[in-house]
Amino acid sequence: MKQIVKLLGCALLASASAGVMAQEAGSIMVKAGYAYFDPNVTSGNLSAPSLPNTKINVGAAGTILLTGTYMFTDNIAVEVYGGIPLKHDIYGAGSIQGTGVLGTVKQLPPTAFLQYHFMGANEAFRPYLGLGVSYVHFQGETGSAVLTAITNPGGAPTTFQVKDTWGATPQMGFTAWFNKQWYVDASVNKSYVKTTTTLSTGQSASAKLNPMVTQFSLGYKF
């Protein structure tokens, strides 16, 4: 949050005298930057046979973010997020907290937002609100020796699969323009997603991931 405040201050100073037609109807904009995903996990219990209160947690990760935006009117826009898949560590929680990394998984959450940009198209600084739909695709699931020791001691290595899922993603952010083409953008999103992980040993566990996503980007308008 402190980083957002600092960037907001710099953007306000840089854009104070811009006063250009920056985001009028018909504008097509692209941006690239960095996004940080910080899951807020609420895990269910791993199904039997397992220790009571066996849960999971998911570590934070960052990635390169690529975004395209189209302004339908001076205030209403559609924005699409993409980028490079993120790699998350999965940890034990509950009765197996502190056992270490259970595995890793990659995820790619393309998201489409409907946005409302406040103030006029000729304003250099414009806050916005958005509501998006995310499709979270999981891939590259890899279990660790710790996972096997907990779920199948002495047996074959335990593998797992995480189910793809949909979720709602509210958003708030701002754009600040340096001139008619270049701008900076920052936003905070909160995705509400729930998925299920199934082990090769037959157990499964559901979890709400609900990551907070903070992104900073440099953009260009065509």
Side-chain angles (χ1 to χ4, degrees), residues 6-89:
K6 289 179 180 178
L7 183 57
L8 175 58
C10 293
L12 283 171
L13 291 174
S15 62
S17 61
V20 296
M21 289 293 288
Q23 291 175 290
E24 69 272 23
S27 295
I28 298 174
M29 299 171 288
V30 295
K31 65 186 180 187
Y34 179 79
Y36 183 73
F37 286 67
D38 188 9
N40 181 18
V41 179
T42 302
S43 171
N45 294 324
L46 185 66
S47 62
S50 63
L51 290 173
N53 197 38
T54 297
K55 300 178 182 292
I56 62 169
N57 199 4
V58 180
T63 189
I64 300 298
L65 180 71
L66 303 174
T67 306
T69 306
Y70 179 77
M71 300 292 298
F72 283 103
T73 71
D74 288 356
N75 300 97
I76 297 174
V78 168
E79 185 167 82
V80 179
Y81 273 22
I84 299 173
L86 301 103
K87 185 176 182 179
H88 295 272
D89 289 332

Side-chain angles (χ1 to χ4, degrees), residues 90 103-105 141-143 147 158-162 197-200:
I90 302 173
T104 60
V105 62
E141 298 96 326
T142 303
L147 179 63
T158 301
T159 61
F160 65 95
Q161 185 173 18
V162 184
T197 300
T198 303
L199 307 184
S200 58

Side-chain angles (χ1 to χ4, degrees), residues 136-159:
V136 187
H137 171 65
F138 296 95
Q139 61 187 41
E141 298 96 326
T142 303
S144 71
V146 174
L147 179 63
T148 300
I150 292 173
T151 60
N152 195 28
T158 301
T159 61

Side-chain angles (χ1 to χ4, degrees), residues 165-183:
T165 187
W166 294 85
T169 306
Q171 174 194 53
M172 61 182 297
F174 69 85
T175 55
W177 293 77
F178 299 113
N179 53 44
K180 292 182 178 181
Q181 274 74 47
W182 293 98
Y183 66 97

